[in-house]
Amino acid sequence: MKNVHSYWAYLVLAILIFAVINAILGLSKKKQFTDKDLRIGLFALIVSHIQLLIGLVWYFMSPWFSALKEDMGGVMKEKSLRLLAIEHPVMMILAIVFITIGWSKHKKKTTDSAKFKTFAIFYGIGLLLILSKIPWNNWL
C-alpha cells in the first residue's frame, strides 16, 4: 500500500502542477474557460481524492500510527516521526480540502477569468501545502 501511495503521488503532483499552470496561463492570457480546462480541474480533483483515500488506508496500517497510539509524547518529540504521524497527514487533508473548495467555488463563477482565478488560488494553495509536507527523505 505504501508503494501505491508513493507512486500515485507522482501522478497527483504532475496533474496538480499542470492544473495550476493551466489556470494561471488562462487567467493571464484572458483565455476562454473550455471543457478542456474543466476536465483538467476535475482530473486533478479526482486523482488527489484517490490519493487521499490510499493515504488514509496506508496511514492506519502504518508503523507511524501504531507508534502514535503507543507513545504520543515520544512521537511529538521526534521530528521525523512527527512529520509522518501528524504533520504530513493533516497537511494533506487540508490540501485536499482547498482543492475541493476550489472545485466547488469555480462552478458558481460566471466569468472565464473568475473560474481560472478560483482554480489558480485554491489548487495553488493545495499544491503548496502538499509540497510543504512531503516527506522528501522517505520519498526520493
Side-chain angles (χ1 to χ4, degrees):
M1 189 58 85
K2 179 183 177 185
N3 288 336
V4 174
H5 182 65
S6 294
Y7 288 120
W8 192 263
Y10 288 108
L11 179 64
V12 172
L13 282 176
I15 299 298
L16 199 51
I17 289 168
F18 184 69
V20 170
I21 290 171
N22 182 64
I24 291 169
L25 290 176
L27 184 61
S28 65
K29 294 183 178 182
K30 300 185 189 312
K31 290 173 50 180
Q32 181 179 358
F33 191 86
T34 64
D35 285 343
K36 176 191 75 109
D37 302 308
L38 179 76
R39 287 187 188 105
I40 291 169
L42 179 60
F43 197 56
L45 176 81
I46 291 169
V47 297
S48 62
H49 277 84
I50 291 171
Q51 176 70 344
L52 175 65
L53 293 174
I54 294 168
L56 287 173
V57 170
W58 163 240
Y59 178 72
F60 289 110
M61 296 172 19
S62 74
W64 306 294
F65 181 68
S66 299
L68 188 64
K69 287 191 313 186
E70 290 173 17
D71 182 20
M72 183 181 279
V75 168
M76 296 304 284
K77 289 177 187 172
E78 192 174 327
K79 185 178 178 180
S80 62
L81 271 178
R82 186 178 62 238
L83 171 66
L84 295 168
I86 302 290
E87 294 170 0
H88 175 74
V90 170
M91 200 61 72
M92 298 307 123
I93 291 168
L94 284 174
I96 302 304
V97 166
F98 275 101
I99 292 167
T100 305
I101 290 170
W103 175 258
S104 296
K105 285 184 144 314
H106 106 275
K107 294 188 288 186
K108 297 174 185 163
K109 304 299 179 185
T110 55
T111 65
D112 296 330
S113 64
K115 290 181 183 208
F116 281 124
K117 185 177 181 181
T118 301
F119 274 158
I121 292 170
F122 285 93
Y123 281 41
I125 291 170
L127 177 61
L128 290 174
L129 291 175
I130 289 170
L131 290 173
S132 74
K133 289 300 174 185
I134 289 177
W136 296 105
N137 293 342
N138 296 8
W139 195 39
L140 299 175

